Amino acid sequence: MSDLLDDIASVGVNDTGITLFEGQFAVSKGMSYNSYIIKDEKITVMDTVDAHFGEAWLGNIRREIGAQEVAYLVVQHMEPDHSSNIAAFAAAYPSATIVASAAAFVMMKNYFGTDFADRRLIIKEGDTLNTGRHLLKFVAAPMVHWPEVMVTFDEATGSLFSADAFGKFGATNIPDDEGWDCEARRYYFGIVGKFGVQVQALLAKAAKLPISRIYPLHGPIFTTAEEIQHALELYTTWSRYEVETKGVFIAYTSVYGHTQRVAEELASLLTAKGIKVAKADLTREDMHEAIEDAFRYGTLILATTSYNNGVFPKMREFIEHLLERNYQKRCVGFIENGSWAPCAAKKMQEMFAAAKEVTFLPTTVTIKGAAYNHADLEKLAEEIKA
Ligand code: FEO
């Protein structure tokens, strides 16, 4: 098997100039667009890369195979960070066959004006592609991350080409001292947090495969059983919306600092009780970091200002992000501020009305300007501890 693994090489690229992935996710350490080549009797390329890196990517393919022809381009996912160079590839390798799901070819027609009808192979769940020494089996993974997605299992090496699944933010040539979990979690809840049921369906299929390697379209390749087990366990926790870390996440906004002071006082009370606490200023810190922490911890405290007889905008936006990702199975408490008619706690609780298995802590702390009852805050801390 190890000889056969040598057939597989990376031909992807790193984007270290990007600041916002998908126009919304801050990526201070860039992004990788992975692509792989299987140097078999019928040379096969797995996915393309972002539009800005077509020449570099084609150069990486030439580096691996020189002037040899490519037999197949497998398109697992049509989002443009991976599909943008399909037409360029088709021109560079005119005898190659494009392999993808029927839904992907519909998207190709929309993106490129052609569905490659004269040189395509439409595949579906369970179909196989024999490239010589390798046998690629296709597995449907709808909504991980788009509806057309297929992942590919190489039966010869136990390699799972997993499309977006198990990816992370960050270029692979920039060290990430935090390891895989943090940016993989932010990526997961950012792009597929809403689709836990569909991720569970893919995990159920993956559980039946003897996976020895995972080749995602973003981030590092998984080469050990421990790495693979760890990633599968976290994906199971995340897709079931289960608590990953016991503790409290305090998300706050604060116009003049009074709400922030009370949020920080609560954090101190909880820390003194031995409870793990994370907190974020939603106005000044990364919104998607806050979203991943809301899903990571079991208790969420929301502290904000009443605003236009409702909820301060950044807090409202944060709650909407959680709800559209099926936020559930958590305990939520409130701290509200209002100089004359505080209403934010009631309005926030109303926003969670349709969320499944969300319970509310009984004590709400109300701040009027700077004044609040410290006994209420201690009571809230006790309820969190209970
Ligand atoms: Fe990395 Fe859904 O594209």
Side-chain angles (χ1 to χ4, degrees), residues 271-347:
T271 302
K273 292 176 188 296
I275 297 169
K276 184 174 173 59
V277 179
K279 55 184 166 47
D281 178 340
L282 297 177
T283 306
R284 295 170 182 83
E285 297 178 48
D286 183 84
M287 178 62 76
H288 297 97
E289 288 275 359
I291 292 167
E292 66 158 291
D293 278 338
F295 283 97
R296 178 177 180 178
Y297 295 100
T299 299
L300 174 64
I301 301 298
L302 301 172
T304 198
T305 309
S306 306
Y307 193 85
N308 286 338
N309 206 27
V311 178
F312 192 76
K314 273 288 177 185
M315 177 61 77
R316 195 170 65 235
E317 178 190 336
F318 176 61
I319 296 171
E320 285 167 354
H321 276 299
L322 299 184
L323 295 174
E324 74 182 38
R325 289 168 172 79
N326 285 328
Y327 186 80
Q328 57 185 271
K329 299 180 184 171
R330 296 294 188 279
C331 186
V332 179
F334 303 106
I335 298 171
E336 62 179 355
N337 199 334
S339 296
W340 64 94
C343 66
K346 178 171 178 284
K347 300 285 185 182

Side-chain angles (χ1 to χ4, degrees), residues 47 73-79 86 98-109 115-116 120-127 138-143 146-152:
D47 294 294
L73 170 67
V74 176
V75 176
Q76 300 186 111
H77 181 19
M78 275 301 295
E79 190 165 11
I86 293 173
I98 314 296
V99 181
S101 65
F105 281 111
V106 172
M107 291 181 180
M108 278 182 229
K109 177 102 177 171
D115 56 8
F116 301 98
R120 72 181 179 194
L121 176 62
I122 299 174
I123 45 93
K124 61 182 184 315
E125 169 96 4
D127 286 354
F138 299 104
V139 178
M143 301 321 296
W146 280 13
E148 85 295 358
V149 171
M150 305 290 289
V151 300
T152 307

Side-chain angles (χ1 to χ4, degrees), residues 24 50 52 113 211:
Q24 59 173 326
D50 179 82
H52 299 93
I211 300 169

Side-chain angles (χ1 to χ4, degrees), residues 21-22 77 79 81-82 145-146 164 187 191 217-218:
F21 177 65
E22 292 186 357
H77 181 19
E79 190 165 11
D81 51 334
H82 311 294
H145 153 225
W146 280 13
D164 274 339
Y187 171 82
I191 73 159
L217 287 179
H218 302 287

Side-chain angles (χ1 to χ4, degrees), residues 334-338 342-343 345 364-369 371-373 376:
F334 303 106
I335 298 171
E336 62 179 355
N337 199 334
C343 66
T364 289
V365 177
T366 297
I367 312 163
K368 289 195 170 177
Y372 70 101
N373 183 348
D376 286 346

Side-chain angles (χ1 to χ4, degrees), residues 23-323:
Q24 59 173 326
F25 301 104
V27 281
S28 62
K29 291 180 177 170
M31 199 70 197
S32 73
Y33 311 114
N34 300 344
S35 167
Y36 305 98
I37 190 165
I38 304 171
K39 295 178 282 185
D40 203 347
E41 290 158 26
K42 292 182 176 174
I43 296 171
T44 301
V45 173
M46 306 296 294
D47 294 294
T48 84
V49 297
D50 179 82
H52 299 93
F53 298 91
E55 279 308 311
W57 173 68
L58 289 169
N60 289 347
I61 293 173
R62 284 192 294 273
R63 178 196 70 209
E64 292 294 331
I65 61 168
Q68 294 180 82
E69 286 298 318
V70 177
Y72 300 115
L73 170 67
V74 176
V75 176
Q76 300 186 111
H77 181 19
M78 275 301 295
E79 190 165 11
D81 51 334
H82 311 294
S83 69
S84 288
N85 287 288
I86 293 173
F89 172 90
Y93 293 98
S95 63
T97 298
I98 314 296
V99 181
S101 65
F105 281 111
V106 172
M107 291 181 180
M108 278 182 229
K109 177 102 177 171
N110 292 331
Y111 275 110
F112 302 112
T114 173
D115 56 8
F116 301 98
D118 58 340
R119 51 185 297 192
R120 72 181 179 194
L121 176 62
I122 299 174
I123 45 93
K124 61 182 184 315
E125 169 96 4
D127 286 354
T128 56
L129 183 68
N130 190 333
T131 62
R133 298 180 294 276
H134 298 260
L135 184 65
L136 305 182
K137 187 167 189 177
F138 299 104
V139 178
M143 301 321 296
V144 191
H145 153 225
W146 280 13
E148 85 295 358
V149 171
M150 305 290 289
V151 300
T152 307
F153 184 68
D154 173 20
E155 296 197 335
T157 60
S159 299
L160 179 68
F161 297 90
S162 63
D164 274 339
F166 309 110
K168 75 182 278 290
F169 295 125
T172 53
N173 59 351
I174 298 177
D176 186 347
D177 298 336
E178 293 178 310
W180 182 79
D181 298 12
C182 188
E183 285 295 69
R185 187 190 302 106
R186 188 166 72 100
Y187 171 82
Y188 175 91
F189 285 108
I191 73 159
V192 292
K194 179 181 179 65
F195 303 113
V197 169
Q198 290 85 350
V199 174
Q200 280 283 295
L202 176 59
L203 291 173
K205 295 176 188 178
K208 296 176 184 159
L209 301 173
I211 300 169
S212 62
R213 290 203 170 199
I214 297 178
Y215 294 84
L217 287 179
H218 302 287
I221 298 165
F222 298 73
T223 59
T224 70
E226 291 75 23
E227 289 171 347
I228 292 167
Q229 182 69 15
H230 179 69
L232 288 169
E233 284 174 6
L234 280 181
Y235 260 55
T236 299
T237 298
W238 298 341
S239 60
R240 288 178 178 163
Y241 303 96
E242 288 173 350
V243 175
E244 178 187 341
T245 304
K246 196 167 158 49
V248 180
F249 177 53
I250 303 173
Y252 64 88
T253 71
S254 192
V255 180
Y256 294 105
H258 305 101
T259 310
Q260 179 177 0
R261 278 202 282 280
V262 176
E264 288 176 348
E265 175 63 16
L266 177 64
S268 298
L269 289 173
L270 294 171
T271 302
K273 292 176 188 296
I275 297 169
K276 184 174 173 59
V277 179
K279 55 184 166 47
D281 178 340
L282 297 177
T283 306
R284 295 170 182 83
E285 297 178 48
D286 183 84
M287 178 62 76
H288 297 97
E289 288 275 359
I291 292 167
E292 66 158 291
D293 278 338
F295 283 97
R296 178 177 180 178
Y297 295 100
T299 299
L300 174 64
I301 301 298
L302 301 172
T304 198
T305 309
S306 306
Y307 193 85
N308 286 338
N309 206 27
V311 178
F312 192 76
K314 273 288 177 185
M315 177 61 77
R316 195 170 65 235
E317 178 190 336
F318 176 61
I319 296 171
E320 285 167 354
H321 276 299
L322 299 184
L323 295 174

